[in-house]
Amino acid sequence: MMSNAPSGPARAGHIAPDDERIARAALSRLMEPQDTAGLALVRLTGAVDALRIATGQLAAGPSLEQEMTALLLDGGSGSWPGLPASLKRWMPRVPDLAPERDLATLQRLGGRIIIPGDALWPVQLADLGLQEPLCLWWRGHELEFPPLRRTVALVGSRDSTGYGGAVAGEFAYGLGQRGYTVVSGGAYGIDAHAHRGALAGGSSDVPTIAVMAGGVDRYYPSGNEELLRAVANQGAVIAEVPPGSAPTRYRFLQRNRLIAAFAAVTVVVEARWRSGALNTAHHAEAIGRMVAAVPGSIHSANSAGCHRLLREGGAVCVTDVGEIAELAGGSGEELVGEKEASGSEHDGLTLEDLVLLDALPLRTITSVEKLGVVAGLGPEAVRAGLGRLGLLGLAVSERGGWKRARKNA
Amino acid sequence: MMSNAPSGPARAGHIAPDDERIARAALSRLMEPQDTAGLALVRLTGAVDALRIATGQLAAGPSLEQEMTALLLDGGSGSWPGLPASLKRWMPRVPDLAPERDLATLQRLGGRIIIPGDALWPVQLADLGLQEPLCLWWRGHELEFPPLRRTVALVGSRDSTGYGGAVAGEFAYGLGQRGYTVVSGGAYGIDAHAHRGALAGGSSDVPTIAVMAGGVDRYYPSGNEELLRAVANQGAVIAEVPPGSAPTRYRFLQRNRLIAAFAAVTVVVEARWRSGALNTAHHAEAIGRMVAAVPGSIHSANSAGCHRLLREGGAVCVTDVGEIAELAGGSGEELVGEKEASGSEHDGLTLEDLVLLDALPLRTITSVEKLGVVAGLGPEAVRAGLGRLGLLGLAVSERGGWKRARKNA
């Protein structure tokens, strides 16, 4: 499956060299997600040398530490305790390293590791800057990751209400039908409804992707095992942590940045005042992705987080699939157009004609003079207005007088 | 009741002179609301001369027409057909003028007319510019109009749902309890719930005000007669059109600008995709007032207008009385503070401490070394973190090892 390929910019079918692949597999076990010191090290020395430094096989000179400091400050980190502190952090895990075993595990499960430089690497992850993951452990067919503008994240509470579940399902189904890929986190509640809806409605090669906080060798939570198996069969189940990693709270929070980075829009379907889904929304905002929130009853605690996002100004209010598609930059504008077109027959009337229409009796006929008194218009204005209303089918002339036209007559 | 008072700026107890009052009463029958030509004429010549010109008793020179044109262009009007066209519009109603009779009608009903210059004139109406009404026909006690920052408009559909009615009622009650005046339109549905809630909760001198599209001599719609009588008894029922005026659709639309101008915030509680309440919101925006909208189910057509306001960016999402009060600029911030304070025990932890907390077992104890492996931290970082978590009551040391502290233990 793995072969040495020429270095250089990624192109179709290109895969990165084996030693780089194995080094990143090992580093992803050594370093927690978003270990910025580790990521800076990899960026400066490459994965192979970074692994040798991290495991103590290669000594780092003082200039490397200076470069790391500069890169970390550039990337927005404050002061950092220095490379020795990082080495001390990584050291306890060195004895557990077995990247070939991890790769073999994934291969046995029909999966693989994807690393930057692979043609299949999602280019949108570059927007994470220094926080771009080291690799992605990928369970499912070998599929191209959908482009940003065709990917929508649907996220929300685990303890969703009937309303939230229905909305997640109908949005995912509709997005699937339009060929969008729905990204979510594989959890109970909103996530599960989103994956299920996308599988049902999906018309693209990758209807849905589950981004896990723990290793993809195990389908977690177990109650979603069957669902996640279906997601892997039709789409993909992915993680930045290696097989066997537990889904800790810290990893959930870091995982959220991946969901946000994959998608053009992160839609928060239901969330409490404090919720992991808001964390995903903040990640999305931080890298300039659109955030949308679904409104709900003000009496539902499960919508309080959505309303908070709307109120604090970061999120766009979305109520149907067309609006989401519009935000993603794909199709969908037509739906909004339809809604606007269903207006009243009185749209576009001038205020003067509206006054005149109000003044016209429904049953009896009236004269131009009387209309002028009732409407507060001069006789010429009345006559001109009656002409316009007549053309619109809103007024009719009978026996020298005028009355309102009956609807549907 | 009426007396001549010295001219000059308005002050407590000051009332404008009688002839001005009678002229404005007459003009309010001659001219439809927001008849900008008429309002420009009054502004240039004063109400008394404007009435004489409008009724043909006084000829207008060419310079007056030029000044009117300039004023109308200034006020944002496009070209206007000129003074003769306006005179033709007003003429049919001249024979019906009987301002003393109208004033007597209101007096018999326990009411009065309020005009600019009266101490009771709501100063916030000046923000309407040329569209400031000629007068207000006022049914209810002689009360000072509450200041802008203590006035909130609650508006919405006539065919409200149970949800919308409940929200309007609870918001109005809460605003009333905090001493705000609730302004609405006296109609069925949201308006009625708003007035009723404010009457029940009201603690200020003016718990609620109904702004009518037709004359205040008649309580309209008849199903709200009892409610509107109570509003007049405890607050006020007001209109810019004289007694006997029918509530035409045109007047409803114009009335909405008054509701918007009275209040610091216009809250749209429930509205369809197209709704008169949105018209009020647009009036509010046009004069720089805050617009707020209440979210609801995306499956409710009665919330579609609210979501449209939220989506199109003009409105702030509000979910409780505290948020509305905050927008109005009065009290209320404390409520939001309470909500934020009810956070999780993990707020404020660094990511490193969160990782460590995740790694701590609940039942058995573990060593610093093992924690380092699980958490991906060096031993010093583990020890420092355990110290912090211990201080927060989240970790406990037992027999030389560490475990997580039980909640509420």
Side-chain angles (χ1 to χ4, degrees):
Chain A
M1 189 190 106
M2 299 173 194
S3 70
N4 280 307
S7 62
R11 51 182 171 70
H14 174 79
I15 55 169
D18 256 13
D19 54 351
E20 171 88 6
R21 192 171 305 276
I22 290 167
R24 284 180 179 262
L27 288 166
S28 77
R29 184 172 298 283
L30 217 53
M31 300 164 175
E32 282 293 315
Q34 209 181 330
D35 180 329
T36 45
L39 291 163
L41 178 63
V42 172
R43 196 157 283 211
L44 289 167
T45 67
V48 176
D49 278 358
L51 180 62
R52 296 177 66 209
I53 293 170
T55 55
Q57 295 175 281
L58 183 70
S63 72
L64 177 62
E65 188 157 348
Q66 279 171 22
E67 283 176 79
M68 285 179 72
T69 304
L71 190 54
L72 287 167
L73 287 177
D74 249 26
S77 304
S79 63
W80 70 298
L83 189 52
S86 295
L87 291 172
K88 219 176 268 178
R89 187 166 69 239
W90 300 325
M91 204 54 74
R93 286 181 177 171
V94 171
D96 292 343
L97 289 183
E100 288 89 351
R101 182 201 62 197
D102 292 339
L103 290 168
T105 300
L106 250 277
Q107 206 171 355
R108 207 167 48 242
L109 298 170
R112 67 204 55 79
I113 191 175
I114 312 276
I115 65 172
D118 285 340
L120 300 181
W121 184 255
V123 292
Q124 54 260 55
L125 290 180
D127 295 336
L128 288 168
L130 202 53
Q131 299 172 9
E132 187 174 16
L134 290 164
C135 60
L136 289 176
W137 298 87
W138 180 288
R139 190 163 175 182
H141 301 289
E142 196 162 336
L143 293 163
E144 235 175 292
F145 205 100
L148 187 65
R149 63 180 176 78
R150 301 301 294 169
T151 310
V152 171
L154 294 181
V155 299
S157 316
R158 260 176 283 261
D159 65 333
S160 60
T161 65
Y163 171 68
V167 170
E170 85 194 43
F171 280 9
Y173 182 87
L175 288 165
Q177 290 244 306
R178 286 166 182 243
Y180 285 89
T181 297
V182 172
V183 173
S184 195
Y188 293 132
I190 297 298
D191 290 14
H193 285 281
H195 290 304
R196 230 175 255 126
L199 288 174
S203 61
S204 80
D205 286 346
V206 193
T208 188
I209 291 174
V211 188
M212 312 302 287
V216 296
D217 53 318
R218 203 159 70 86
Y219 289 129
Y220 175 91
S222 57
N224 279 352
E225 184 168 342
E226 210 171 325
L227 171 63
L228 289 168
R229 197 176 302 280
V231 170
N233 278 338
Q234 291 184 53
V237 175
I238 63 180
E240 64 178 314
V241 294
S245 303
T248 61
R249 189 188 295 112
Y250 174 80
R251 289 175 187 152
F252 269 111
L253 294 174
Q254 296 314 313
R255 182 276 313 264
N256 291 342
R257 87 186 192 288
L258 301 186
I259 292 180
F262 283 137
V265 191
T266 291
V267 181
V268 183
V269 178
E270 240 184 7
R272 290 177 169 265
W273 183 255
R274 285 173 185 279
S275 155
L278 300 189
N279 172 260
T280 312
H282 295 317
H283 278 300
E285 257 179 63
I287 56 168
R289 298 276 195 269
M290 299 291 304
V291 177
V294 177
S297 166
I298 63 168
H299 300 133
S300 168
N302 279 53
S303 287
C306 293
H307 298 152
R308 184 182 186 183
L309 285 174
L310 291 173
R311 180 172 162 73
E312 291 173 6
V316 179
C317 178
V318 291
T319 62
D320 63 31
V321 170
E323 290 172 352
I324 296 170
E326 200 184 340
L327 289 179
S331 60
E333 290 86 353
E334 67 276 9
L335 265 199
V336 175
E338 273 167 32
K339 222 186 229 170
E340 290 198 22
S342 68
S344 125
E345 57 177 345
H346 304 124
D347 294 336
L349 287 191
T350 63
L351 283 181
E352 222 168 56
D353 288 355
L354 207 51
V355 176
L356 190 61
L357 185 64
D358 280 337
L360 274 173
L362 255 173
R363 290 181 199 86
T364 59
I365 58 166
T366 188
S367 67
V368 169
E369 292 67 35
K370 283 196 188 141
L371 278 173
V373 176
V374 176
L377 295 169
E380 280 157 37
V382 170
R383 266 186 284 268
L386 286 171
R388 284 188 296 271
L389 292 177
L391 284 175
L392 291 168
L394 296 171
V396 283
S397 164
E398 276 180 24
R399 290 166 286 132
W402 288 84
K403 61 187 245 184
R404 204 183 290 204
R406 280 184 188 281
K407 279 176 199 169
N408 312 319
Chain B
M1 189 188 105
M2 299 172 197
S3 71
N4 281 308
S7 64
R11 50 180 172 73
H14 175 79
I15 55 168
D18 258 12
D19 53 353
E20 173 87 5
R21 192 171 304 276
I22 290 167
R24 284 179 179 263
L27 288 166
S28 77
R29 182 171 299 282
L30 216 52
M31 300 167 178
E32 282 293 315
Q34 209 180 331
D35 180 329
T36 45
L39 292 163
L41 177 64
V42 172
R43 196 156 283 211
L44 289 168
T45 67
V48 176
D49 277 357
L51 180 63
R52 294 178 64 210
I53 292 169
T55 54
Q57 292 175 284
L58 185 68
S63 73
L64 177 63
E65 188 155 351
Q66 277 169 23
E67 282 176 80
M68 285 178 72
T69 303
L71 191 55
L72 287 167
L73 287 177
D74 249 24
S77 305
S79 63
W80 69 299
L83 189 53
S86 296
L87 291 173
K88 220 176 266 178
R89 186 167 68 242
W90 299 325
M91 206 51 74
R93 286 181 177 170
V94 172
D96 292 343
L97 289 183
E100 287 90 350
R101 181 202 62 197
D102 293 336
L103 291 168
T105 299
L106 251 278
Q107 205 169 358
R108 204 167 49 241
L109 298 170
R112 67 203 56 80
I113 192 175
I114 312 278
I115 66 172
D118 284 342
L120 299 181
W121 184 255
V123 291
Q124 54 259 58
L125 289 180
D127 295 336
L128 287 168
L130 201 53
Q131 300 173 10
E132 187 174 15
L134 289 164
C135 61
L136 290 176
W137 298 87
W138 180 288
R139 190 163 176 183
H141 300 288
E142 196 161 338
L143 294 162
E144 233 174 294
F145 206 99
L148 187 66
R149 64 180 175 77
R150 301 302 294 169
T151 309
V152 171
L154 293 181
V155 299
S157 316
R158 259 177 284 260
D159 65 334
S160 60
T161 66
Y163 172 68
V167 170
E170 84 194 44
F171 280 10
Y173 182 87
L175 287 165
Q177 290 245 304
R178 285 167 181 243
Y180 287 89
T181 297
V182 172
V183 172
S184 196
Y188 292 132
I190 297 299
D191 290 13
H193 285 280
H195 290 304
R196 230 175 257 125
L199 288 174
S203 62
S204 81
D205 285 349
V206 193
T208 189
I209 290 175
V211 188
M212 312 303 286
V216 295
D217 53 317
R218 201 157 72 87
Y219 288 128
Y220 175 91
S222 57
N224 280 352
E225 183 168 344
E226 211 170 324
L227 171 63
L228 290 168
R229 197 176 302 281
V231 170
N233 277 341
Q234 290 185 53
V237 175
I238 63 179
E240 64 178 315
V241 294
S245 303
T248 62
R249 187 186 296 111
Y250 173 82
R251 288 174 188 154
F252 269 111
L253 294 174
Q254 297 314 313
R255 181 277 314 264
N256 290 342
R257 86 184 193 290
L258 301 186
I259 292 180
F262 283 136
V265 192
T266 291
V267 181
V268 183
V269 178
E270 241 185 4
R272 292 180 166 264
W273 184 256
R274 285 175 186 282
S275 155
L278 300 189
N279 172 260
T280 311
H282 295 317
H283 277 300
E285 259 179 63
I287 57 169
R289 298 278 195 267
M290 299 289 305
V291 176
V294 177
S297 166
I298 63 168
H299 299 135
S300 167
N302 280 54
S303 286
C306 293
H307 298 152
R308 184 183 187 181
L309 285 174
L310 291 173
R311 180 173 163 73
E312 292 173 5
V316 178
C317 178
V318 291
T319 62
D320 64 30
V321 170
E323 291 171 352
I324 297 171
E326 200 185 338
L327 288 180
S331 62
E333 290 86 351
E334 66 278 9
L335 264 200
V336 175
E338 271 167 35
K339 221 188 231 168
E340 291 197 20
S342 68
S344 128
E345 58 180 343
H346 306 124
D347 294 336
L349 287 191
T350 63
L351 283 180
E352 226 170 55
D353 288 355
L354 206 51
V355 176
L356 192 61
L357 185 64
D358 280 338
L360 275 173
L362 254 173
R363 290 181 199 86
T364 58
I365 58 164
T366 190
S367 68
V368 168
E369 291 68 36
K370 283 196 189 139
L371 278 173
V373 176
V374 175
L377 295 168
E380 279 158 38
V382 170
R383 269 187 283 268
L386 286 171
R388 285 189 294 272
L389 293 177
L391 283 175
L392 291 168
L394 296 170
V396 285
S397 165
E398 276 179 26
R399 292 165 285 131
W402 287 83
K403 60 185 249 184
R404 203 183 291 205
R406 281 184 187 280
K407 279 177 197 168
N408 311 320

